[in-house]
Amino acid sequence: MATVAFIGLGNMGGPMAANLIKAGMTVTVFDLVPAAVEALTAQGALSAKTACGAAASADFVITMLPAGKHVRHLYLGDDDTKGLLDVVSKEAVLIDCSTIDAESAQVVGKHAQAKGIEFMDAPVSGGTAGAAAGTLTFICGGSDKAYQKAQTVLTVMGANIFHAGATGAGQIAKICNNMLLSVLMVGTSESLQLGIDNGLDPKVLSDIMKVSSGGNWTLEKYNPCPDVMENVPSSNDYQGGFMVDLMVKDLGLSQQTSVASNSSTPMGSLARSMYVNHARQGNGRRDFSSIFEQFTPADKK
Ligand code: NAD
């Protein structure tokens, strides 16, 4: 059975690591937060005092961290601290599942290549529910060899695994998807409120649009209007799900990428402004479908 080091045991990393343990793999974990480590050792993980300690003898190293600066520092280290690339075995496969800027993934990938180590970016889609259920979508960027080897662990944590291209391609595909998702969420919200303002029942309107030309994922799986659908954040005061702050991060990444490639992304730009504004009004930790409230009259919120 494969040995795995898992670093970054937050909302996503915790349940992902738990699924590897359930599959019988030897998983050594590390997080800066001791309680996050304890939650995994209680489920059968081994723990290490440092990230490098966890990674040194692992076949696979998986990281699930907040942003590019954390990933660069962990893999590359600095003048005083060793990075993962300084300690891992040459046969190990390193997989970063965080959503970060493609450039950081490419920089880490270049350093890994120079040392003869396989590194892949593999951001995920599917949220905390997908992480817990082992049904995540992995969007990978890296060599064919790394992609093939990584199947051993990715198939345990995910249901759909794609090879988007070279290092960094996983991150680009991920932010293209999330930019589209934000636009669909805003558009669906304003359409539903337009119907409500003109006397329509949002459930009936949702049923109509779902099977008409406006049909989309938010209507099918994640309706933003409260009480139209059961078991979605909008019917639970927008708790759980995918935080506005994370959507703001992803839309910042898509706009940075758009500027770098001189692309035209007016809808993504507008969606970012709307989500930034929404976060500034105190909604950063609520689910991203709460953008619906931007269209709701004040006395109906
Ligand atoms: P989180 O904040 O819950 O977890 C991040 C964890 O990383 C924390 O436990 C933190 O202590 C740890 N950490 C930070 N720096 C570290 C270091 N140097 N060494 C060890 N541990 C360190 O975040 P999350 O929701 O689990 O998201 C992680 C990544 O997954 C982000 O890039 C996010 O954009 C992406 N993502 C999240 C979701 C979601 O629904 N939450 C969905 C898809 C993708």
Side-chain angles (χ1 to χ4, degrees):
M1 264 293 180
T3 58
V4 184
F6 207 114
I7 299 154
L9 307 166
N11 293 327
M12 296 293 289
M16 289 164 72
N19 282 330
L20 295 170
I21 298 167
K22 276 185 218 146
M25 294 180 185
T26 303
V27 182
T28 306
V29 298
F30 177 75
D31 193 289
L32 299 175
V33 177
V37 173
E38 282 155 26
L40 267 296
T41 52
Q43 297 175 67
L46 304 172
S47 67
K49 290 202 173 79
T50 62
C52 284
S57 58
D59 300 323
F60 296 93
V61 179
I62 304 174
T63 51
M64 194 51 164
L65 303 174
K69 64 179 179 189
H70 307 104
V71 173
R72 282 191 196 225
H73 189 256
L74 184 68
Y75 279 86
L76 305 179
D78 57 30
D79 291 345
D80 304 319
T81 326
K82 281 191 173 176
L84 296 181
L85 294 183
D86 296 317
V87 301
V88 295
S89 140
K90 289 268 187 292
E91 281 71 49
V93 179
L94 279 47
I95 308 166
D96 178 45
C97 297
S98 327
T99 302
I100 63 169
D101 56 296
E103 194 196 343
S104 289
Q106 285 155 353
V107 167
V108 172
K110 276 205 181 95
H111 280 82
Q113 198 179 23
K115 289 176 181 257
I117 298 165
E118 293 289 353
F119 168 83
M120 200 169 73
D121 53 303
V124 303
S125 181
T128 50
T135 56
L136 290 169
T137 295
F138 285 91
I139 311 165
C140 305
S143 69
D144 286 339
K145 191 173 161 200
Y147 179 71
Q148 291 310 330
K149 283 187 168 183
Q151 300 301 311
T152 307
V153 285
L154 298 187
T155 50
V156 173
M157 301 181 287
N160 298 298
I161 301 158
F162 292 101
H163 193 183
T167 313
Q171 299 295 350
I172 301 282
K174 162 81 184 171
I175 54 163
C176 288
N177 178 71
N178 278 24
M179 185 177 82
L180 176 58
L181 173 62
S182 70
V183 170
L184 291 172
M185 188 55 90
V186 172
T188 299
S189 295
E190 69 182 33
S191 297
L192 285 171
Q193 189 60 49
L194 176 66
I196 295 166
D197 291 346
N198 288 279
L200 294 192
D201 177 338
K203 275 190 194 168
V204 175
L205 178 57
S206 294
D207 285 343
I208 294 167
M209 294 197 295
K210 219 169 15 183
V211 294
S212 302
S213 45
N216 68 75
W217 183 88
T218 71
L219 282 169
E220 275 171 27
K221 302 259 168 72
Y222 216 95
N223 199 297
C225 178
D227 302 323
V228 167
M229 207 175 248
E230 285 178 359
N231 300 322
V232 289
S234 60
S235 297
N236 185 28
D237 195 25
Y238 299 105
Q239 300 306 302
F242 183 57
M243 282 191 306
V244 167
D245 281 343
L246 287 177
M247 184 53 99
V248 167
K249 181 186 89 163
D250 290 359
L251 289 171
L253 292 174
S254 60
Q255 289 308 295
Q256 277 170 25
T257 307
S258 168
V259 169
S261 56
N262 200 26
S263 306
S264 172
T265 50
M267 307 304 285
S269 171
L270 180 56
R272 178 181 171 272
S273 290
M274 292 196 65
Y275 272 103
V276 167
N277 192 38
H278 194 50
R280 285 185 173 194
Q281 290 170 10
N283 297 301
R285 300 195 67 77
R286 300 175 82 205
D287 179 70
F288 82 115
S289 62
S290 61
I291 198 78
F292 179 76
E293 290 188 348
Q294 291 291 334
F295 303 97
T296 317
D299 59 338
K300 301 262 169 59
K301 279 183 192 166

